[in-house]
Amino acid sequence: MRRSAPLAVLGAILLGTGTASAQVFHLKPAPGPSRSYLGGGVEYGQPQGEFADFVGHSWGVGGNYIFRLDHAGILGLRADVHYLNYGHERNRALLSQTIGGRIDVDVTTDNNILLAGIGPQLLLPTGAIRPYLTGNVGLAYFFTKSSVEGTGSQEAFASTTNFDDAVFAWSGAAGLYIPLRGGMHPISLDLGARYQANGNVRYLRKGSITDNPDGTISFIPIRSQANMIIYHVGVMFGL
């Protein structure tokens, strides 16, 4: 009886240690898919309403970041950034009147839109095709920029913003994720369309700037609604 007492105590200690270890083990979270996703792709902008009366199509790139708010991935917080160009001009000019015609430069003028917003995303997280809905509020920044580069170089050595305007904007989008790879860091094809409401904004378009004989420029900004539909083709990566 006296010899069995220490064995019983040792057994109780080992049993308690095993139970505690099991509890610690079960507290560790099971591995699962990424909670953060980063995406990007090419975009085509189609002007709507008044905007279509002054501007043609636009091309650009867009990126987004999504943080999954629930374990299943149904609800997420999404941030979007888009850069679109809706007008481009290139003219040959003298570098200076003093040097004369011995050195020419290319003067490039671009009409651009920079969009940024944040909002929720709803996703059907399973299946071969996974539809999503998203919307955001943010900022639309319209700016026209001119730059100068040598005729034998693609690098600008001088630039200036001729005109800009920024307004509150909102958007709503729908799309499809098509899984290309699963696992901890999934990859999906992203196909979507976004209605971008930029409201009433001032902007320039191709041909808006006039070069005067005295070296100055003149223009009259257009003021109108600048809403558009943006079509997106890209890839989404799980981080």
Side-chain angles (χ1 to χ4, degrees):
M1 295 295 293
R2 290 180 180 179
R3 292 181 179 179
S4 62
L7 294 176
V9 173
L10 180 60
I13 293 173
L14 293 176
L15 180 61
T17 303
T19 303
S21 299
Q23 291 177 348
V24 172
F25 176 79
H26 287 299
L27 287 176
K28 293 181 179 180
S34 303
R35 294 197 67 181
S36 297
Y37 297 83
L38 188 66
V42 296
E43 298 186 330
Y44 167 75
Q46 182 180 14
Q48 301 293 299
E50 288 182 289
F51 200 33
D53 295 333
F54 300 102
V55 171
H57 61 262
S58 59
W59 293 93
V61 294
N64 58 79
Y65 171 80
I66 300 170
F67 182 77
R68 194 180 66 192
L69 297 177
D70 63 283
H71 180 75
I74 298 173
L75 179 63
L77 183 64
R78 173 170 174 153
D80 284 273
V81 177
H82 312 269
Y83 173 81
L84 296 166
N85 177 277
Y86 64 91
H88 176 80
E89 299 175 74
R90 180 183 292 270
N91 301 312
R92 184 67 58 84
L94 300 179
L95 178 61
S96 74
Q97 294 293 336
T98 303
I99 296 175
R102 297 192 179 191
I103 300 179
D104 291 338
V105 294
D106 289 329
V107 180
T108 302
T109 301
D110 288 295
N111 302 304
N112 308 302
I113 310 172
L114 182 63
L115 305 167
I118 188 169
Q121 175 177 287
L122 291 174
L123 169 70
L124 183 63
T126 59
I129 296 178
R130 304 176 183 182
Y132 67 85
L133 294 173
T134 183
N136 66 42
V137 294
L139 186 72
Y141 178 58
F142 287 67
F143 64 102
T144 295
K145 184 176 183 179
S146 294
S147 59
V148 178
E149 59 190 41
T151 56
S153 172
Q154 298 299 318
E155 295 185 5
F157 60 84
S159 64
T160 186
T161 299
N162 309 115
F163 185 83
D164 63 351
D165 194 14
V167 293
F168 171 81
W170 63 269
S171 71
L176 300 171
Y177 292 134
I178 302 175
L180 302 177
R181 187 186 75 182
M184 292 286 293
H185 303 287
I187 300 176
S188 298
L189 180 66
D190 181 8
L191 306 175
R194 175 179 301 273
Y195 180 80
Q196 181 70 39
N198 297 319
N200 201 353
V201 63
R202 297 182 303 159
Y203 56 91
L204 302 182
R205 61 175 178 173
K206 184 177 179 180
S208 288
I209 299 178
T210 300
D211 295 290
N212 301 318
D214 61 357
T216 62
I217 62 173
S218 59
F219 51 78
I220 299 176
I222 300 168
R223 189 179 190 96
S224 75
Q225 297 284 324
N227 304 328
M228 59 196 311
I229 296 177
I230 300 173
Y231 300 94
H232 174 92
V233 178
V235 180
M236 177 68 71
F237 300 90
L239 302 180

